[in-house]
Amino acid sequence: MTIANFLTFTRIVLSPVFVIFYLWYAKFGITQTVLPYILLGLLTSSELTDAFDGFFARKYNQVSDFGKIVDPMADSISRISCFLAFTQGPLKMPLLLIFVFIYRDFMISTLRTICALRGVALAARPSGKIKAIVQAVAIFLIVVFMIPYSLGRLSIGDYRTISVYIVSCAALYTLYSAVDYFYAHQKHVRNIIQNKESS
């Protein structure tokens, strides 16, 4: 268990904590006005582990094929957990939008797993890293807008409209990153298809 991998697993553990506080904050004696700040703290902690696991992996020469696979998986679990949580509670985000993130990560994870079983580790694309940033910013913005909503300065209708617009923008870039990833690794995709046809 390297430092980098420990931070990656910490990010996975923090994911359900965000969901639990978002959905059942009242059971913990947390008020609606305090909730956004707790969620922002959890998001900041999660994003810091994402930043530092890569830093430590490079600094201590801990970059590994395992890390290349698990790190983006942890990102997916962390951010999709947040988006799924937003489909509940006051926001009631359309589930169809969230499926864009789920399907994108499922298809790419499947490709990476198949290639890994064949001894090929597919590294992340720049567009995938930007996608992670775009999704993180979207989640942060939704929680930030929760502050005026909790204070009664933003109506639930406006809060939902703003949130849907933010997630829609993130979903569009997520689709682009998927196309870019498959295009960059089209050789591996063709090999997989040809092997299936030959079998």
Side-chain angles (χ1 to χ4, degrees):
M1 176 62 73
T2 63
I3 298 175
N5 289 339
F6 174 78
L7 290 173
T8 300
F9 282 116
T10 299
R11 188 157 72 259
I12 295 174
V13 172
L14 287 174
S15 301
V17 176
F18 179 96
V19 177
I20 290 169
F21 275 110
Y22 175 83
L23 295 177
W24 298 293
Y25 64 92
K27 294 184 178 181
F28 296 95
I30 301 170
T31 62
Q32 195 175 46
T33 54
V34 174
L35 177 62
Y37 301 100
I38 294 176
L39 297 181
L40 285 173
L42 290 170
L43 288 174
T44 301
S45 300
S46 179
E47 294 304 323
L48 284 175
T49 63
D50 188 20
F52 282 109
D53 63 1
F55 170 77
F56 282 116
R58 290 186 294 271
K59 182 173 182 176
Y60 296 107
N61 195 27
Q62 296 175 349
V63 177
S64 63
D65 290 343
F66 176 80
K68 290 179 182 178
I69 295 173
V70 175
D71 182 58
M73 189 181 301
D75 290 342
S76 298
I77 293 172
S78 175
R79 296 185 179 115
I80 289 177
S81 294
C82 294
F83 285 125
L84 284 174
F86 293 148
T87 64
Q88 306 300 311
L91 274 179
K92 300 188 186 304
M93 187 73 60
L95 192 58
L96 185 62
L97 274 178
I98 313 306
F99 278 146
V100 173
F101 306 115
I102 296 173
Y103 287 148
R104 184 267 183 197
D105 287 355
F106 173 77
M107 290 188 296
I108 289 181
S109 294
T110 301
L111 175 62
R112 292 168 73 100
T113 301
I114 293 173
C115 290
L117 291 173
R118 297 180 177 181
V120 178
L122 301 183
R125 293 280 300 163
S127 63
K129 295 179 180 178
I130 296 174
K131 179 268 304 179
I133 295 173
V134 169
Q135 290 183 2
V137 170
I139 295 169
F140 267 101
L141 286 176
I142 290 173
V143 177
V144 167
F145 277 107
M146 188 184 294
I147 296 174
Y149 165 72
S150 67
L151 296 173
R153 298 174 183 172
L154 185 67
S155 69
I156 183 60
D158 290 340
Y159 183 35
R160 286 174 179 169
T161 300
I162 292 170
S163 299
V164 168
Y165 176 77
I166 291 171
V167 174
S168 297
C169 291
L172 284 174
Y173 190 85
T174 297
L175 284 174
Y176 164 76
S177 69
V179 173
D180 176 69
Y181 193 89
F182 279 98
Y183 179 79
H185 299 295
Q186 56 184 302
K187 181 180 74 172
H188 300 292
V189 175
R190 282 199 301 267
N191 289 338
I192 293 170
I193 295 174
Q194 289 171 359
N195 287 339
K196 286 186 176 181
E197 290 177 347
S198 63
S199 61

